[in-house]
Amino acid sequence: MQHNIFASMRSLKIMDGCKGTQVYAINPSSATGGGIGEKLLQQLHDHIKSHTLRTKSVRNLQPPNMTTPSEVFVSDGSLLPYGLPMTDLLEPKIEPSLVSVDFVETLAGVYRRTEDRHQFDRSEVYLEQCAVFQGLADPKLFRRSLRAARQHAINVHAKVVLSAWLRYERREDELIGSSLMDCSGRNLECPRTTLVPGYDPELVFDSCACTGARAGNGDNDNDDAMAIVVDEQCSTSEEEEEDGDMSFCVGDDEIKCNRFNIASLSRPFKIMLYGGFIESTREKINFSRNCFSVEALRAAEVFSRRKRLSHLEPKVILELLSLANRFCCEEMKNACDAHLASLVCDIDDALLLVEYGLEETAYLLVAACLQVFLRELPGSMQSLSVVKIFCSPEGRDRLALAGHASFVLYYFLSQIAMEEEMRSNTTVMLLERLVECAKDGWEKQVAFHLLGVVMLERKEYKDAQYWFQAAVDAGHAYSLVGVARAKYKRGHTYSAYKLMNSLISDHKPVGWMYQERSLYCVGKEKLMDLMSATELDPTLSFPYKFRAVSFLEENKIGPAIAEINKIIGFKVSPDCLELRAWFLIAMEDYEGALRDVRAILTLDPNYMMFYGHMHGDQLVELLQPFVQQWSQADCWIQLYDRWSSVDDIGSLAVVHQMLAKDPGKSLLCFRQSLLLLRLNCPKSAMRSLRLARNHSTSDHERLVYEGWILYDTGYREEALAKAEESISIRRSFEAYFLKAYALADSNLDSESSKYVICLLEEALRCPLDGLRKGQALNNLGSVYVDCDKLDLAADCYMNALNIKHTRAHQGLARVYHLKNLRKAAYDEMTKLIEKARSNASAYEKRSEYCDRDMAKSDLSMASQLDPLRTYPYRYRAAVLMDDHKEAEAIEELSRAIDFKPDLQLLHLRAAFYDSMGDFVSAVRDCEAALCLDPNHNEILDLCNKAREHIREPK
């Protein structure tokens, strides 16, 4: 039984900001100075004048050479209160994470260190892996490494921090009804398991201690009550039967003790009672001046006989802990420590007991209190007591004495603080503590670099330069970007230019190097650097933004929008969408602008427009009167049309509008999450899933959304269990679909495929709308193809197309191809290209159904539309290898690997190196790939084979 010292405090919720993007056709209309656009812009101006939203003064921005009223831009500056975007105000952000000059070598090195370490010593290497993956777009890699770090953690402190971090990654606090100390059956996050030291290799497979406790909770309570009664009876009877040979006296009270038993508690007691001190000859020892109560001494006497604690009030155990500390009674201290740790179940308990724990250096008690604080983040940082413990140097010293000041603790805390408010004093103090805890190597690199990033944000440029330089000295070359930026801000532009010039000369050039150098030059040289940056890394958004705004400054609105559309087409981000919305407002395409603003707010509900001076919701309100208003029924029609045309950003905007009218609609939140996953915005998708779960009106629906959350965070088996539980309550399309989807994620044998087919067929028998029916038919067709049931697959795809599920063209093309009808397959993909707004994948797939020259053309278009797609690079490299152009094949793969270290690309390049006899390079690529997926058997075999060749005598 746990003793609740205080009532629980509700944890505060947070919203995590995420990124997104979109592509859209614009509808330019000629405008004059007195048109509807002028009225809207005047309203924007009036709105901003009446709301003191400015956080800093902004220059009155005027686009150059805009004097005639017939231009698409309004020339009157008062109608554009913040002006139009200007190239002078654009800057790329410095990544707040480890960025490597040679990322493949970094991945390979981390993998080698993981393999070289003993099982018991891998947690720190997996944490380094987390830091390496943090800058990547795929959060699953980061979470997988975090789970591995937790699984291999040995000491309680590391377990507490890493378990809380895993829980935070899922934003568990945002789920209505979630309990602070609940782990939902996940052993890696179980608050009881974390307080047990040692390494357990089966940790990820066993059910946690909470599961059994919950199963028999009532019986356990009775057992505990009985144990207390027996304990008290035994204690009473023993006390009556015990004949002491000495006594401790506190005032008029006398506590009978056995001298030998007390002496056995610690060496100080033994010396006092059997040594040369006067107490060794006395039967009564006065303990009044030691400030311990009768109850505490009586408890110590009982412990001396029984070696375990009786049922005592927490205040008595706290006093007993102090006594144990004073007289070095380690066994008694450990018992008190463990018992008090078991009492901590909410933040009020933790706030009260942590001071006792720190004062008495009680390791487990402090760990239990830390666990509560960390699982309540960021809400717990609202407490001044918690801030003092974590942020102050004195607090860190006290934590260190108790064994709880570590790099992993402050790394976790600083990451959350930077998400909440990067420029705050709390963030700075936590990063200072992180620096104090950092060891040489990657820990110092990341600590110094993060502190530099924060100081730059705070405009403390001298300090920023100092910390960035410290990171460089520790071995982090990317921090030279921070040094250069700080120098530039301090007016030393030429020095910044020389620094980046030397970086490019000393290393293999990477896109971000040219991007940074472009800030410190002008004219054609700047544009050439930006072009080089895009060629080396087409995923960098700054070059597109700069070129787009440059076109805008030249009154070339069409090219400006076309330029920003290039990156929005494959990488969704709020800043790029904002830029396009800004352009569209200027040319009075309010429908397009409103669409983009709604998409931005879906990606980041707290996004501030116009240099951070106006909330996106306020801009939506101002734009709405100038566009056609839709009813909820109209919205469903619009959503269906956009979904059918593979217009994901348009669909996102429609769903946002529908949720504004019906915010509690869980189905809409779920659709939003599906769209966000298509746009590769996993964090935003997870937030929408949590909203869907919280707005669920029934248990079976809630279980489905919880299942999707588990599946998307890597808990496949738990997701299946949620689906089955939902089906047991009520048969529904979503429950069957979830179960089928999760099962189909593994390699299916014939029997498993049949079962998945049955599940999808059951799903289609349940009530559902056309959008989900089309998706289910498409998935069913895919499983039929895998089972070689081509006619049934074709029927599924045709039925999906009949309800305008446009993506089914791709499945039908695959069926035609397998039937040796290549022309029909090609034509089917052509239909998809014509219908879909986002069609890079369609060009890629169509390339499989035509001759080599046409395939090259399609793949070139696919790479142009979406350079993140890896198949075109692999195809072109394979063709080059077939033509015995090995160097060109390697170069083709390397070009993509430099900005996207993809598993398949690395595997293929390793195979090419192996075939060319370059076994060292083959091993390096294999090791980098295994860092991304350590269980890939083919790559493991290739790596071992290449290592054997290296070991062979020459």
Side-chain angles (χ1 to χ4, degrees), residues 520-816:
Y520 316 128
C521 49
V522 295
K524 290 184 179 179
E525 189 178 355
K526 178 187 283 285
L527 294 176
M528 287 175 63
D529 271 357
L530 290 173
M531 189 59 67
S532 297
T534 299
E535 288 174 357
L536 290 169
D537 186 352
T539 68
L540 295 171
S541 62
F542 174 75
Y544 300 94
K545 292 165 65 177
F546 185 90
R547 288 189 290 263
V549 176
S550 297
F551 283 129
L552 182 75
E553 291 176 341
E554 297 172 2
N555 287 356
K556 298 177 180 178
I557 186 68
I561 292 178
E563 183 65 28
I564 202 65
N565 278 348
K566 289 179 182 177
I567 190 164
I568 291 176
F570 66 89
K571 185 181 178 183
V572 182
S573 64
D575 57 333
C576 291
L577 283 173
E578 179 194 13
L579 211 54
R580 189 170 68 179
W582 212 331
F583 297 163
L584 295 173
I585 289 173
M587 64 183 297
E588 299 188 7
D589 182 359
Y590 308 118
E591 187 173 337
L594 182 58
R595 172 206 61 214
D596 283 354
V597 176
R598 288 190 180 280
I600 290 169
L601 290 171
T602 304
L603 299 166
D604 183 356
N606 299 315
Y607 195 81
M608 302 292 289
M609 308 284 292
F610 303 138
Y611 304 115
H613 287 79
M614 177 183 287
H615 196 283
D617 284 331
Q618 296 164 337
L619 185 55
V620 168
E621 292 176 7
L622 292 169
L623 286 169
Q624 277 183 322
F626 303 99
V627 299
Q628 182 181 353
Q629 301 299 305
W630 294 334
S631 66
Q632 203 75 338
D634 294 329
C635 286
W636 276 108
I637 295 172
Q638 294 292 332
L639 176 61
Y640 199 92
D641 290 342
R642 282 158 177 74
W643 192 288
S644 299
S645 62
V646 197
D647 179 5
D648 292 332
I649 293 182
S651 300
L652 210 58
V654 175
V655 171
H656 182 271
Q657 182 174 347
M658 297 170 78
L659 281 169
K661 297 178 180 179
D662 190 2
K665 192 74 171 178
S666 59
L667 178 61
L668 291 174
C669 294
F670 181 58
R671 289 200 190 288
Q672 194 177 68
S673 72
L674 296 176
L675 287 163
L676 288 164
L677 282 176
R678 285 184 183 177
L679 291 168
N680 196 29
C681 302
K683 287 189 176 180
S684 298
M686 187 57 62
R687 185 180 61 246
S688 295
L689 260 181
R690 290 193 294 271
L691 288 173
R693 183 267 188 198
N694 287 342
H695 292 314
S696 300
T697 56
S698 62
D699 287 341
H700 77 273
E701 187 182 20
R702 173 182 55 78
L703 288 165
V704 168
Y705 299 140
E706 288 178 358
W708 280 114
I709 290 172
L710 289 166
Y711 176 80
D712 287 343
T713 50
Y715 294 96
R716 178 174 166 272
E717 296 302 322
E718 291 87 340
L720 284 169
K722 291 285 184 182
E724 290 170 357
E725 187 179 352
S726 178
I727 292 170
S728 69
I729 298 172
R730 179 179 172 182
R731 292 157 46 88
S732 69
F733 169 82
E734 292 298 350
Y736 279 116
F737 190 82
L738 168 61
K739 187 174 181 180
Y741 196 93
L743 285 172
D745 189 30
S746 59
N747 293 324
L748 297 176
D749 54 27
S750 59
E751 289 301 316
S752 299
S753 296
K754 290 177 182 178
Y755 186 46
V756 171
I757 288 171
C758 291
L759 289 171
L760 288 171
E761 289 173 344
E762 284 294 324
L764 287 166
R765 294 189 187 101
C766 299
L768 73 163
D769 58 60
L771 297 176
R772 290 299 268 162
K773 184 176 182 179
Q775 191 167 359
L777 286 167
N778 200 53
N779 286 28
L780 182 58
S782 179
V783 182
Y784 276 138
V785 169
D786 293 339
C787 296
D788 203 28
K789 299 179 179 181
L790 300 183
D791 291 336
L792 290 174
D795 290 341
C796 285
Y797 292 129
M798 291 299 296
N799 289 334
L801 289 171
N802 289 337
I803 54 176
K804 296 186 178 180
H805 188 78
T806 308
R807 286 180 171 85
H809 282 298
Q810 183 168 319
L812 191 56
R814 184 184 175 197
V815 170
Y816 288 146

Side-chain angles (χ1 to χ4, degrees), residues 21-23 137 534-535 537-540 544 562-572 646 648 677-681 807 810 837-845 857-874 876 892 895-896 899-900 902 905:
T21 31
Q22 147 178 17
V23 188
T534 299
E535 288 174 357
D537 186 352
T539 68
L540 295 171
Y544 300 94
E563 183 65 28
I564 202 65
N565 278 348
K566 289 179 182 177
I567 190 164
I568 291 176
F570 66 89
K571 185 181 178 183
V572 182
V646 197
D648 292 332
L677 282 176
R678 285 184 183 177
L679 291 168
N680 196 29
C681 302
R807 286 180 171 85
Q810 183 168 319
R837 292 282 188 93
S838 178
N839 51 24
S841 63
Y843 277 108
E844 178 185 293
K845 197 66 181 176
S857 176
D858 275 356
L859 291 175
S860 176
M861 179 61 72
S863 291
Q864 181 180 333
L865 293 172
D866 184 357
L868 290 173
R869 306 194 73 83
T870 62
Y871 174 75
Y873 303 101
R874 290 186 283 126
R876 289 188 289 263
E892 178 67 26
R895 188 159 61 92
F899 65 86
K900 185 182 171 81
D902 176 77
L905 291 173

Side-chain angles (χ1 to χ4, degrees), residues 51 68 117 138 295 311 329 374 405 498 585 694 711 917 924:
H51 291 75
T68 63
R117 296 288 185 95
D138 187 358
E295 292 81 5
H311 179 62
C329 307
L374 297 178
K498 286 199 303 180
I585 289 173
N694 287 342
Y711 176 80
R924 180 205 59 203

Side-chain angles (χ1 to χ4, degrees), residues 33-54:
I36 195 171
E38 182 172 328
K39 295 177 183 177
L40 172 61
L41 292 169
Q42 184 62 52
Q43 286 194 24
L44 288 173
H45 177 64
D46 293 341
H47 168 84
I48 294 158
K49 285 177 66 179
S50 62
H51 291 75
T52 57
L53 295 173
R54 297 192 181 195

